[in-house]
Amino acid sequence: MKRILTIFAAIVLAGVSASAQDSNYREKASHFYVNTEFNLTGADFQGWGKPDFGSYGFTVSPGYRFNPHWAVFVPVNVDVLLLNRQSTKNFVEQGTLGLGGSYTLTMKDHKALEFVVSGNSTYIKSDLNYFKAKAAVKLGFHGLGGTPYLGIGCSYLSPYGNVANDKLMLEINFGFTIF
């Protein structure tokens, strides 16, 4: 996990230094970009505040913005799935790769709402392989350098085989759009 946080910090710092470019140009023209985010999910609550299944992870999403509103991206996730607390091994580390799209609605005072959908699948053989779909709304703060955002949405996780049941989970995101 220390490596993931170190990589996240390096990418964020690179994005802040790259944000010295003209932000109006980036918001009006088509361009490539990279999102980096940390996400938390939880499901199957057994009592208040005690999820029986959840995950946390880090996502890097290189993408292309066609205009100020529409974009496509390729999310590359590293997730740690937190499984049943009663089992002897209660976590699985896994990576996913997928495809997503977004629509951005620009608001006043350099704020924007971004509506995001994506679908990912595992690419490394592990104890738990799955398909993950995500829908989220992110509030971005343009003009602050690196465009930080907060997001909330839901994730649908469907394991391959009869390993576990499908899960619908609340997801919270914190990240930066850079370049």
Side-chain angles (χ1 to χ4, degrees), residues 29-178:
S30 59
H31 62 280
F32 287 99
Y33 69 95
V34 176
N35 274 351
T36 59
E37 75 181 28
F38 181 74
N39 42 49
L40 297 167
T41 63
D44 288 347
F45 285 85
Q46 295 180 349
W48 183 252
K50 296 180 182 176
D52 196 41
F53 186 91
S55 70
Y56 64 91
F58 177 70
T59 304
V60 175
S61 301
Y64 184 76
R65 186 161 296 284
F66 297 104
N67 56 41
H69 301 292
W70 294 100
V72 295
F73 57 92
V74 177
V76 180
N77 296 4
V78 175
D79 291 327
V80 177
L81 300 173
L82 307 171
L83 306 174
N84 184 344
R85 294 172 297 169
Q86 307 302 322
S87 67
T88 56
K89 181 180 179 188
N90 58 2
F91 70 94
V92 173
E93 296 171 343
Q94 186 56 279
T96 62
L97 179 66
L99 185 63
S102 69
Y103 178 80
T104 303
L105 179 64
T106 306
M107 300 165 27
K108 294 181 181 179
D109 300 326
H110 299 287
K111 294 184 185 99
L113 279 178
E114 185 176 14
F115 302 92
V116 178
V117 294
S118 66
N120 300 359
S121 183
T122 55
Y123 58 86
I124 300 171
K125 187 166 175 64
S126 178
D127 294 337
L128 180 63
N129 294 309
Y130 54 90
F131 170 78
K132 182 178 178 181
K134 172 179 156 180
V137 177
K138 299 176 182 178
L139 175 62
F141 304 97
H142 297 263
L144 294 179
T147 313
Y149 62 84
L150 297 171
I152 189 165
C154 64
S155 290
Y156 172 75
L157 188 128
S158 179
Y160 299 137
N162 294 328
V163 177
N165 295 331
D166 293 358
K167 308 285 184 193
L168 185 61
M169 303 175 287
L170 176 66
E171 182 167 324
I172 298 171
N173 307 305
F174 169 73
F176 291 88
T177 301
I178 54 179

Side-chain angles (χ1 to χ4, degrees), residues 1-56:
M1 188 63 188
K2 286 182 182 179
R3 270 188 247 151
I4 293 172
L5 292 175
T6 303
I7 292 169
F8 179 71
I11 292 172
V12 168
L13 290 174
V16 170
S17 65
S19 68
Q21 299 173 2
D22 183 12
S23 64
N24 289 331
Y25 169 77
R26 290 186 298 152
E27 291 177 8
K28 292 180 182 176
S30 59
H31 62 280
F32 287 99
Y33 69 95
V34 176
N35 274 351
T36 59
E37 75 181 28
F38 181 74
N39 42 49
L40 297 167
T41 63
D44 288 347
F45 285 85
Q46 295 180 349
W48 183 252
K50 296 180 182 176
D52 196 41
F53 186 91
S55 70
Y56 64 91

